[in-house]
Amino acid sequence: VIVNGAAHNVSAVTDNANGTSTITLDGNGVDNVLTAGMQIGEQAQFIFRVTPTATVDASTVTNRVDVQDDAAAQAAAQNSTVTTVNLAPSITVTKYVRNNGPCTAGGCNPAVAGTTINGVVYWLTADGVTAEPGDTLEYVIAVQNALNAGQATDVIISDPIPAFTNYVASSIEFDNAATVAGSGAWSTTATDNEGDADQGEYDPTPGAETIYIYAGSGGVDAGVASTYGDGTGGTLNGNSFTFGKFQVQVQ
């Protein structure tokens, strides 16, 4: 390649005894004049390879770019460029409910198809689940981090107790392993108490009754004594779910 903006045909290359070469070109006419100082170099094909790798928690993706002059071996370190990209989480929260009865009038759960979570069918809150005084409603809140999303941190589920209902004591449960399409197992290690180093608590303050579930991996409700909602949420990797469940009784 001779850097003067024109194409050249090489008719001959002669290696000289003094370590230089003489290159004879065709077509070096008036409009294609070569002068001393023009850059002359070699041109060749090479392989450009990008290898992406993701961390276990999917919080970052590293792209390694290798440039090789053949396909035999990976390029030397000086021919590689490594770029790390931090991925953002992408969280979706969905709330489900079912009427656990007794619902004496019948038909409290709608006829439309529901969603099975841990072997039990629930419905979206907009699907029309109804209730009578004395019925127990069971709520499930699903938190999903999307496929190829980065790790979410400090994941906390908080939900106020619905009006005209009473919280059912010791009904907080959570599941960090299930998927909406599959089956997992509810954990019953969460208690209603504040600050006892598990993953759930119930704030009984009149007019502000609230459920807190410190969801994901590593969540814990330990915090300032007698202060609700100040625990630490867990982590949730990409393409993962975490669930919280609690019950209320209709007044």
Side-chain angles (χ1 to χ4, degrees):
V1 179
I2 301 175
V3 186
N4 72 331
H8 303 276
N9 293 321
V10 177
S11 60
V13 178
T14 303
D15 290 331
N16 302 320
N18 60 1
T20 64
S21 298
T22 300
I23 303 173
T24 303
L25 306 176
D26 293 336
N28 185 21
V30 176
D31 295 330
N32 193 8
V33 178
L34 303 180
T35 61
M38 284 186 177
Q39 181 179 343
I40 300 175
E42 291 183 327
Q43 177 176 286
Q45 291 182 332
F46 63 90
I47 298 170
F48 183 80
R49 178 178 295 129
V50 178
T51 305
T53 58
T55 54
V56 174
D57 61 13
S59 60
T60 61
V61 169
T62 298
N63 293 319
R64 177 180 178 131
V65 177
D66 294 323
V67 179
Q68 303 172 210
D69 58 6
D70 59 53
Q74 181 170 289
Q78 63 266 26
N79 291 331
S80 298
T81 301
V82 177
T83 303
T84 300
V85 180
N86 293 314
L87 302 179
S90 179
I91 297 296
T92 301
V93 180
T94 308
K95 189 173 183 179
Y96 301 92
V97 65
R98 67 177 279 110
N99 189 319
N100 286 355
C103 195
T104 55
C108 290
N109 290 318
V112 299
T115 298
T116 300
I117 302 174
N118 293 355
V120 177
V121 179
Y122 297 88
W123 288 266
L124 295 172
T125 53
D127 284 340
V129 173
T130 61
E132 302 172 352
D135 286 353
T136 298
L137 295 175
E138 185 169 85
Y139 288 94
V140 171
I141 300 172
V143 181
Q144 178 185 9
N145 196 7
L147 178 67
N148 297 326
Q151 186 186 71
T153 59
D154 200 17
V155 178
I156 301 174
I157 297 172
S158 65
D159 200 33
I161 299 301
F164 308 110
T165 68
N166 296 316
Y167 169 67
V168 176
S170 302
S171 65
I172 297 175
E173 296 183 276
F174 62 92
D175 178 15
N176 293 328
T179 66
V180 167
S183 179
W186 293 107
S187 169
T188 57
T189 59
T191 70
D192 299 341
N193 303 324
E194 190 278 330
D196 57 1
D198 59 26
Q199 285 192 265
E201 61 186 7
Y202 163 60
D203 181 357
T205 304
E209 296 95 333
T210 303
I211 293 295
Y212 294 97
I213 300 175
Y214 301 99
S217 176
V220 62
D221 73 352
V224 178
S226 302
T227 302
Y228 293 95
D230 66 340
T232 301
T235 59
L236 186 63
N237 293 340
N239 197 30
S240 298
F241 288 86
T242 185
F243 295 84
K245 182 176 74 169
F246 66 95
Q247 295 179 348
V248 297
Q249 188 175 48
V250 180
Q251 297 174 359

